[in-house]
């Protein structure tokens, strides 16, 4: 797993973790905004690096790679971690391990309560089908990504990723997400927890995650973006979303 760094290495650290089938370049606007005041650590999750042929195997393996890298270079404390969608699953495992002490943990529309095997099978088939259509150049599928997953200027980068990602990586990610369930008793009173999600009907699963976090973690805050879809502003309107993050980071 390749790990990139931007900004001032002497400043507080923020780890930014992208989502499934999402290019790491979605963080470009965030890096540009925060690079003068923070050190930004951006892992390119396994299977998402167009310059590598490695397939994703497990979250535990990826998390250990990041932990080993970060602790060796920056110590065992981090100011903030922001995991978008599947990146929040990654972030929640970092939190659970407690090898890195997190001041602010931000997870957005992240599936943290697992899926039944039937749903894993359905989602795997769905993602494989959509990815194969995009790889074949289906115009409707490709254009649909601009309205939901990437901005127009990142469409080419997004397509490069989809053309690179393997069926094995897709299958393993969905399987790993399906079996991951956030514990209800992680004891980290030093960590402020923020869970963000949209208000549209397709975000109902993430509303359940928000309620779970509210119930089990007193030091948590949940934010619902009314009439918004999956990571909508985070992906498509980063300048607007940065304002929300500034409130959380207390800038």
């Amino acid at each position: 797993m390749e790990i990139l760094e931007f900004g001032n290495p002497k400043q507080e650290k923020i780890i930014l973790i992208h989502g499934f089938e999402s290019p790491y370049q979605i963080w470009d606007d965030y890096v540009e905004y925060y690079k003068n005041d923070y050190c930004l650590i951006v892992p390119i999750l396994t299977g998402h690096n167009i310059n590598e042929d490695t397939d994703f195997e497990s979250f535990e393996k990826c998390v250990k790679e990041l932990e080993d890298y970060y602790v060796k270079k920056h110590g065992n404390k981090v100011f903030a971690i922001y995991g978008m969608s599947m990146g929040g699953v990654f972030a929640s495992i970092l939190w659970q391990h407690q090898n890195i002490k997190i001041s602010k943990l931000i997870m957005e529309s992240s599936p943290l309560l697992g899926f039944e095997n039937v749903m894993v099978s359905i989602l795997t088939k769905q993602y494989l089908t959509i990815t194969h259509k995009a790889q074949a150049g289906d115009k409707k599928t490709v254009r649909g990504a601009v309205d939901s997953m990437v901005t127009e200027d990142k469409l080419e980068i997004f397509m490069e990723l989809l053309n690179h990602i393997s069926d094995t990586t897709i299958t393993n990610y969905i399987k790993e997400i399906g079996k991951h369930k956030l514990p209800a008793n992680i004891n980290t009173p030093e960590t402020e927890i923020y869970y963000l999600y949209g208000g549209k009907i397709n975000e109902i699963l993430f509303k359940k995650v928000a309620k779970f976090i509210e119930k089990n973690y007193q030091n948590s805050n949940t934010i619902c973006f009314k009439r918004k879809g999956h990571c909508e502003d985070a992906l498509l309107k980063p300048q607007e979303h940065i304002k929300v993050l500034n409130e959380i980071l207390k800038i």
Side-chain angles (χ1 to χ4, degrees):
M1 181 172 64
E2 185 176 2
I3 300 170
L4 308 176
E5 291 198 17
F6 306 91
N8 188 340
K10 295 182 179 180
Q11 299 283 34
E12 296 264 37
K13 311 301 183 293
I14 299 178
I15 300 176
L16 302 172
I17 309 173
H18 65 78
F20 178 57
E21 290 197 332
S22 182
Y24 77 89
Q25 290 92 338
I26 60 162
W27 297 120
D28 284 353
D29 290 285
Y30 299 86
V31 169
E32 185 63 28
Y33 182 86
Y34 289 113
K35 68 181 182 181
N36 291 329
D37 299 308
Y38 294 93
C39 176
L40 293 309
I41 290 91
V42 180
I44 308 176
L45 300 187
T46 305
H48 290 74
N49 191 335
I50 63 173
N51 298 314
E52 295 179 353
D53 291 327
T54 308
D55 287 326
F56 171 80
E57 296 179 14
S58 70
F59 281 118
E60 285 291 339
K61 183 175 181 179
C62 286
V63 167
K64 187 177 187 307
E65 285 185 50
L66 180 58
E67 286 176 338
D68 290 347
Y69 171 92
Y70 186 89
V71 171
K72 182 178 180 180
K73 190 166 185 180
H74 299 296
N76 68 343
K77 294 182 180 180
V78 64
F79 174 59
I81 299 178
Y82 176 22
M84 194 185 299
S85 191
M86 179 208 68
V89 176
F90 192 110
S92 75
I93 297 171
L94 281 168
W95 173 34
Q96 186 177 347
H97 281 188
Q98 300 187 46
N99 292 322
I100 299 174
K101 304 302 180 184
I102 307 165
S103 295
K104 295 178 184 290
L105 174 64
I106 309 161
M107 299 172 287
E108 180 161 0
S109 292
S110 301
L112 303 179
L113 299 180
F115 302 129
E116 298 292 336
N117 289 338
V118 172
M119 183 57 67
V120 169
S121 297
I122 291 171
L123 289 173
T124 301
K125 182 178 180 180
Q126 177 183 335
Y127 273 100
L128 287 172
T129 298
I130 293 173
T131 303
H132 292 164
K133 283 184 176 180
Q135 290 170 341
D138 182 79
K139 292 182 179 180
K140 183 178 180 180
T141 302
V142 173
R143 292 308 308 172
V146 177
D147 296 324
S148 59
M149 297 186 70
V150 290
T151 50
E152 182 76 40
D153 62 306
K154 290 185 172 58
L155 180 59
E156 184 176 346
I157 294 169
F158 174 72
M159 287 307 303
E160 286 181 346
L161 170 58
L162 288 195
N163 287 326
H164 173 79
I165 201 165
S166 71
D167 289 2
T168 298
T169 285
I170 293 170
T171 301
N172 287 345
Y173 266 115
I174 302 301
K175 181 180 178 181
E176 282 283 291
I177 292 170
K179 73 179 186 181
H180 174 72
K181 190 177 189 307
L182 181 70
N185 59 350
I186 303 174
N187 184 22
T188 55
E190 74 279 5
T191 303
E192 295 178 16
I193 304 154
Y194 297 86
Y195 190 82
L196 321 178
Y197 64 103
K200 287 188 175 179
I201 189 65
N202 60 357
E203 288 284 276
I204 189 68
L205 168 67
F206 308 110
K207 182 177 181 180
K208 291 180 180 179
V209 176
K211 288 184 177 295
F212 176 87
I213 290 174
E214 287 176 345
K215 177 182 177 181
N216 292 287
Y217 292 98
Q218 292 184 348
N219 54 337
S220 65
N221 303 269
T222 60
I223 301 172
C224 177
F225 302 115
K226 295 181 179 179
R227 298 180 294 278
K228 297 291 184 177
H230 189 69
C231 299
E232 183 174 330
D233 285 353
L235 290 168
L236 306 179
K237 298 178 180 178
Q239 295 303 325
E240 288 297 313
H241 200 60
I242 283 170
K243 297 175 184 178
V244 175
L245 292 182
N246 285 348
E247 291 292 324
I248 294 173
L249 299 174
K250 295 180 173 58
I251 295 175

